Amino acid sequence: MPNASDTRPASRRGAAARPVPDGAGTAAAPAAPPARRPWGRVVRLAALVVLAVLVLAFPTMAPNAYILSAGIVVLSYACTATAWNFMGGFTGYVSLGHAAFFGLGAYGTGLLIRDLGLPSFVAWLVAGALVLLITIPVGIAALRVRGASFVIVSISFVLILLLVFQAWGSFTGGSDGLVVPRPFPDLLRPEHHRTFFYLFAALLVVMLVAWWAIDRSRFGTGLKAIREDEDKAQALGVPTRNYKLVAYVVSATFTGLAGGMYALWFGDLDPIFQFSIMLGSYMVLMALFGGVRHLFGPLLGAVVVGTGLEYFKLEFGDTQFHLVATALLLGVVVLFMPDGIIPAAQALFKRFGPQDSSIREMTAAELLERNRAAAAPAEGEPTAGPTTAVVPQDGDGDAAPRPRTGQEEDR
């Protein structure tokens, strides 16, 4: 049975509709999509400004050189987690072997300075380019598999590099390590830490801008389609193999640059740490903790997890209890916030914050006017047949006699 909100002409309905009398109440009607609130963008911009001010002011607020060096470690974690997110966040491919690119960037920078005498930051850039070139054939081979097989391939790659760099002592220093000359030999330790804090922050900004640009591009849309369903994306015409390879190369290159920056800052490289699976696991943990689908997810995860790691190492010394604490932290996130902190906080705000109404109120007079306009014959249509779509009511609320058509009068 048609109701009062039916807008079809009477000639197309089986029965006439009875409208709601004027002033009898209100009716719900679909509303247009709510406009984007400008204050949301203002809040995000204000938060970004506050974050930038805190980062820039941290070296001056740090009470001692140890706290400042811990801040550099956290920033290096943020760089590696954000670099990993170019692959893991966009495509959904989980790599536990990204420490291989971190180690290649670190050792490449150190070896270019030691053997070729290149300036520190020139060697850093050249090492990043070498990581890019090495990643192309590695990516072509590794991306032929998916899921758990890809994880195993990534672990195998980092273990192979660990054995090579540890055994090739005449070239890499082996277990004795590799000493990288400092790029600023005249600076004292606090000034040295402060300089590299800003350098790591600048590298992180470049990564965040690149991630933001890809996220809003057609290329990023294709990567996210691969993440959701690779087979369907390929069926729709997305060149999945090329897209995955580009994301893999970009992710590896940024990871290599982060490793090279770490080598210039720390100055002492050890293959057991540079090619550690634990380092790759930390990248994954930090990105998952904050939220892999969010721009600042890996950064937030690095701040929380990196700070926790430094605190646990300081409290528990040389024991492995910091790994237990990290595992417990990961378990809490997986159980209660599987998508990360930022998506969980956004969902909580949407649940308890102001709600957008999906309907708007329409008065009976507006509804009656709309029904009358809809019942009027459209321009160019024949006027034969019923001439009214709404049955008016008399003062007692009963239906008034319906106007007769010409055919009824002839009968």
Side-chain angles (χ1 to χ4, degrees):
M1 178 180 295
N3 52 39
S5 62
D6 198 346
T7 59
R8 294 174 298 170
S11 59
R12 300 179 185 179
R13 297 203 305 262
R18 183 187 301 269
V20 180
D22 292 350
T26 59
R36 184 182 297 272
R37 290 188 175 91
W39 58 265
R41 182 175 300 176
V42 173
V43 169
R44 289 193 294 270
L45 181 60
L48 185 60
V49 171
V50 171
L51 176 63
V53 171
L54 290 177
V55 170
L56 294 176
F58 178 81
T60 58
M61 295 188 302
N64 51 57
Y66 170 76
I67 298 298
L68 182 55
S69 64
I72 296 175
V73 172
V74 171
L75 267 182
S76 68
Y77 281 142
C79 290
T80 54
T82 303
W84 179 91
N85 206 36
F86 280 91
M87 184 65 187
F90 279 128
T91 67
Y93 277 64
V94 177
S95 170
L96 294 178
H98 259 53
F101 309 117
F102 185 87
L104 285 174
Y107 269 92
T109 302
L111 292 173
L112 287 172
I113 295 174
R114 187 196 68 180
D115 296 341
L116 299 183
L118 295 179
S120 298
F121 291 98
V122 173
W124 174 65
L125 293 175
V126 173
L130 292 176
V131 172
L132 185 151
L133 295 176
I134 294 173
T135 307
I136 294 176
V138 173
I140 293 174
L143 293 173
R144 296 174 64 89
V145 295
R146 308 182 191 176
S149 300
F150 178 78
V151 177
I152 295 173
V153 169
S154 65
I155 294 175
S156 302
F157 182 53
V158 71
L159 290 179
I160 290 172
L161 289 179
L162 170 62
L163 295 176
V164 170
F165 276 77
Q166 196 169 12
W168 200 358
S170 59
F171 180 62
T172 65
S175 299
D176 295 332
L178 175 66
V179 177
V180 181
R182 296 174 58 180
F184 308 109
D186 298 333
L187 294 181
L188 299 178
R189 183 174 296 273
E191 288 75 14
H192 179 79
H193 289 340
R194 188 176 297 110
T195 301
F196 271 94
F197 182 89
Y198 291 126
L199 289 175
F200 271 108
L203 179 60
L204 178 61
V205 169
V206 172
M207 292 184 185
L208 292 175
V209 172
W211 201 96
W212 178 85
I214 292 176
D215 184 51
R216 283 155 177 77
S217 66
R218 182 178 180 181
F219 173 63
T221 303
L223 292 178
K224 286 180 279 189
I226 294 173
R227 179 186 64 198
E228 299 304 326
D229 194 319
E230 185 171 347
D231 293 328
K232 289 183 179 178
Q234 187 173 8
L236 292 174
V238 177
T240 56
R241 184 182 61 180
N242 296 337
Y243 275 31
K244 290 187 299 181
L245 181 60
V246 172
Y248 192 67
V249 169
V250 171
S251 178
T253 302
F254 276 129
T255 306
L257 290 175
M261 188 70 71
Y262 180 87
L264 294 177
W265 168 64
F266 195 71
D268 190 5
L269 303 181
D270 182 3
I272 296 179
F273 172 76
Q274 307 302 323
F275 298 99
S276 171
I277 297 179
M278 288 301 302
L279 179 59
S281 302
Y282 288 155
M283 298 181 197
V284 180
L285 171 61
M286 293 170 188
L288 292 177
F289 190 89
V292 295
R293 302 187 181 189
H294 196 279
L295 173 64
F296 296 105
L299 172 58
L300 178 60
V303 171
V304 176
V305 178
T307 303
L309 286 174
E310 292 300 311
Y311 175 78
F312 295 146
K313 289 178 182 178
L314 186 64
E315 287 294 320
F316 301 129
D318 295 333
T319 66
Q320 301 299 317
F321 285 114
H322 67 281
L323 299 179
V324 177
T326 305
L328 292 176
L329 184 62
L330 176 60
V332 170
V333 173
V334 171
L335 289 175
F336 300 101
M337 294 177 291
D339 294 329
I341 294 179
I342 294 180
Q346 290 176 339
L348 189 65
F349 177 78
K350 289 180 180 179
R351 180 176 180 181
F352 295 101
Q355 302 294 322
D356 293 327
S357 177
S358 60
I359 61 174
R360 69 180 180 89
E361 296 295 332
M362 178 180 290
T363 64
E366 293 175 340
L367 185 59
L368 180 60
E369 183 64 26
R370 192 182 68 173
N371 285 346
R372 285 174 176 171
E379 183 179 356
E381 291 186 358
T383 57
T387 58
T388 177
V390 179
V391 178
Q393 297 179 345
D394 56 17
D396 296 332
D398 297 330
R402 179 173 58 87
R404 295 190 177 187
T405 63
Q407 296 178 353
E408 292 176 341
E409 291 178 355
D410 292 340
R411 294 175 187 167

